[in-house]
Amino acid sequence: MQQEVLLALLAKEPSHGYQLRARLREALGPIGDAMNDGQVYVTLGRLEKAGQVVVGRAPGTPERPDRKIYELTAAGQQRVAEWLAEVSWPKPDLAEFHLKLLAAAAAHLADPVAIVDAQRRELLRRLRDAQRAAMAESRDSAAALLLEGIVLRLQADLRWLEACERTWTSRKAGPRREQRATS
Amino acid sequence: MLRARDLCRQYGRDDSLVRAVDHVDLDVAAGETLAVMGPSGCGKSTLLHLLGGLDRASAGELWVAGQRIDQMSERGLAAIRRSGVGFVFQAFHLMDELTAVENIELPLLLAARPARTARRRAVQLLDQIGLADRARHLPSQLSGGQQQRVAIARALANEPLIVLADEPTGNLDSEATLEVLRLFERLHDAGQTLVVVTHDARIAATADRLISMRDGAFIDETRLTGGTTGSLGALAGLEG
């Protein structure tokens, strides 16, 4: 779990680890299923060492013995503020796939169109999974918006694969066919 | 449920000959959802029109539920269109001056069903698509997604053997597309045979089978069975 995410969750109020986990699950819906609960505690431990959170003790009950409660320090708050202002964005690695097609064609290792087809099937399977998850969410669930983002992104990637297929199909057919197509 | 052999549809002649559908073989099983995907102009709409008897093939053979329809008389074809198939279009094609419930009961009345039976069935369908409270709304008073759901209900009115849909989400936003996909999923679960032509990958991805079409011919067929190489979490950038 990304450190900044947990810090930002703690900005609302000091919390137990299990409360953070519950808020993450609600925000992520089915996507959070892959989340490893232990990661939250590992990350909180690291943040404590870095001086960005401090750990207190909440009085326990018979069912729940006393538990750690995590709170942001000034340094932690500073880091949250910086994170909110950041404009970094996950990079789609299109260059790698593009180079794969070029290299495969140049060395006659594989048919680029077949590579595109295989890739499209894989992306369609991912789109199917994301779409099914989106269909199962209610309109007002927080996770629905995240799923929509995943679906839109996969659609954009699939459109690019269509462009790849068009280009490589016409290259395969030779320059003559290409000429005819543009005339 | 649907079977085509060497199906062709050509327009024009000589230099201006267009092979809109070019020697297509197709089998659609009962209860199957099939998506035909391709860029505009690839012939997928023409194919759908042939399958539903809206247009006649230049050559080839076509069966709907075991009945050969390519040689059928105009009258026989009209009967198939009326009750054998249900159509859904991109632009909805609802009657502007009729309310939602009236649009849905129209094909029932055209099939000579008694008015009361028709109304009962239309109201029941409206309820199924979650629009019972919109029965007396005109299409202009409904959102795009609601209009398309009414159009789907209309297509279902005569309990067709096959529903044929042409770009059903082409005019819809994300939320309305989700609603149409949910409705298709329910139809699928109820055993409805469904053929959708589209360039919307979301529909293609949720179909049982996907056919890619280019220049009037099928170039690829995919069954999206099996899992992905990643999890949903990986798609959202949560892992790794």
Side-chain angles (χ1 to χ4, degrees):
Chain A
M1 180 50 55
Q2 207 186 329
Q3 296 188 352
E4 286 90 345
V5 172
L6 289 184
L7 288 173
L9 286 173
L10 283 172
K12 186 186 170 212
E13 63 200 359
S15 310
H16 298 294
Y18 72 87
Q19 292 172 316
L20 296 176
R21 262 176 22 218
R23 283 170 67 195
L24 279 167
R25 290 219 171 269
E26 198 196 329
L28 296 172
I31 287 163
D33 291 348
M35 197 171 64
N36 176 355
D37 287 343
Q39 280 177 330
V40 170
Y41 293 99
V42 171
T43 307
L44 285 169
R46 288 192 185 130
L47 289 168
E48 188 190 350
K49 268 188 208 139
Q52 290 168 351
V53 303
V54 287
V55 182
R57 292 248 160 214
T61 60
E63 300 86 46
R64 286 208 159 131
D66 70 288
R67 286 174 165 251
K68 291 180 176 180
I69 186 156
Y70 298 87
E71 188 173 354
L72 276 190
T73 63
Q77 265 162 5
Q78 173 69 23
R79 189 163 171 205
V80 170
E82 282 164 13
W83 181 58
L84 293 177
E86 248 176 48
V87 288
S88 68
W89 195 248
K91 294 184 218 84
D93 198 354
L94 300 182
E96 185 198 325
F97 186 74
H98 176 65
L99 294 171
K100 185 192 276 189
L101 296 181
L102 281 170
H108 301 289
L109 282 170
D111 177 3
V113 176
I115 294 175
V116 172
D117 277 346
Q119 194 65 50
R120 185 176 44 208
R121 272 167 221 225
E122 172 58 22
L123 290 198
L124 280 167
R125 281 191 202 100
R126 293 182 190 192
L127 181 60
R128 173 201 60 193
D129 293 349
Q131 191 64 59
R132 292 219 170 121
M135 281 154 71
E137 285 299 304
S138 71
R139 185 196 292 249
D140 49 357
S141 95
L145 189 59
L146 175 56
L147 286 163
E148 184 180 348
I150 295 171
V151 165
L152 287 170
R153 199 153 177 172
L154 285 167
Q155 283 180 273
D157 287 340
L158 281 162
R159 277 209 294 279
W160 182 60
L161 286 182
E162 267 174 41
C164 290
E165 192 207 310
R166 264 200 308 278
T167 301
W168 284 103
T169 304
S170 61
R171 277 188 205 173
K172 211 165 58 167
R176 231 160 149 212
R177 168 92 182 265
E178 239 171 323
Q179 247 172 20
R180 227 193 308 160
T182 53
S183 66
Chain B
M1 183 56 79
L2 202 57
R3 177 182 164 90
R5 286 294 172 271
D6 222 13
L7 204 62
C8 297
R9 180 66 173 102
Q10 306 176 343
Y11 302 103
R13 49 170 51 197
D14 301 329
D15 277 358
S16 60
L17 181 74
V18 177
R19 293 190 170 92
V21 173
D22 198 11
H23 302 284
V24 158
D25 292 335
L26 176 69
D27 289 279
V28 183
E32 186 180 25
T33 296
L34 171 75
V36 179
M37 229 189 149
S40 40
C42 73
K44 58 190 194 299
S45 290
T46 304
L47 174 67
L48 200 77
H49 290 173
L50 294 178
L51 297 181
L54 287 178
D55 189 9
R56 278 186 186 272
S58 312
E61 298 169 3
L62 182 62
W63 291 263
V64 173
Q67 209 178 353
R68 189 156 167 194
I69 71 161
D70 55 283
Q71 310 275 7
M72 204 175 248
S73 68
E74 200 42 57
R75 227 175 123 181
L77 217 50
I80 292 277
R81 283 197 299 262
R82 221 166 30 235
S83 53
V85 291
F87 287 97
V88 178
F89 303 95
Q90 176 171 1
F92 322 136
H93 292 330
L94 295 173
M95 306 284 271
D96 293 336
E97 62 277 19
L98 299 183
T99 63
V101 73
E102 287 166 348
N103 264 288
I104 298 172
E105 72 184 356
L106 189 59
L108 291 153
L109 297 173
L110 291 174
R113 302 279 280 276
R116 272 167 76 186
T117 318
R119 179 54 61 103
R120 206 180 320 128
R121 169 98 178 122
V123 167
Q124 180 199 350
L125 281 162
L126 260 175
D127 192 41
Q128 280 174 24
I129 59 168
L131 292 176
D133 56 338
R134 300 285 195 279
R136 294 186 193 291
H137 285 55
L138 293 171
S140 58
Q141 297 166 316
L142 299 171
S143 72
Q146 290 169 340
Q147 287 184 60
Q148 191 60 300
R149 276 144 73 201
V150 170
I152 293 169
R154 178 185 58 186
L156 295 169
N158 283 320
E159 298 178 309
L161 300 164
I162 305 166
V163 171
L164 302 172
D166 190 353
E167 276 318 344
T169 57
N171 285 344
L172 302 181
D173 63 20
S174 287
E175 184 56 41
T177 295
L178 259 185
E179 280 171 7
V180 166
L181 285 174
R182 285 193 188 110
L183 189 48
F184 280 169
E185 193 186 38
R186 272 172 37 213
L187 294 181
H188 182 266
D189 292 346
Q192 179 70 54
T193 311
L194 185 62
V195 178
V196 190
V197 304
T198 185
H199 60 242
D200 187 337
R202 290 169 294 185
I203 296 185
T206 43
D208 295 320
R209 189 157 56 108
L210 166 61
I211 287 175
S212 301
M213 195 169 175
R214 299 278 185 287
D215 301 326
F218 292 168
I219 57 160
D220 188 41
E221 184 176 323
T222 311
R223 274 179 199 280
L224 293 173
T225 49
T228 61
T229 51
S231 72
L232 273 180
L235 293 180
L238 254 189
E239 287 166 8

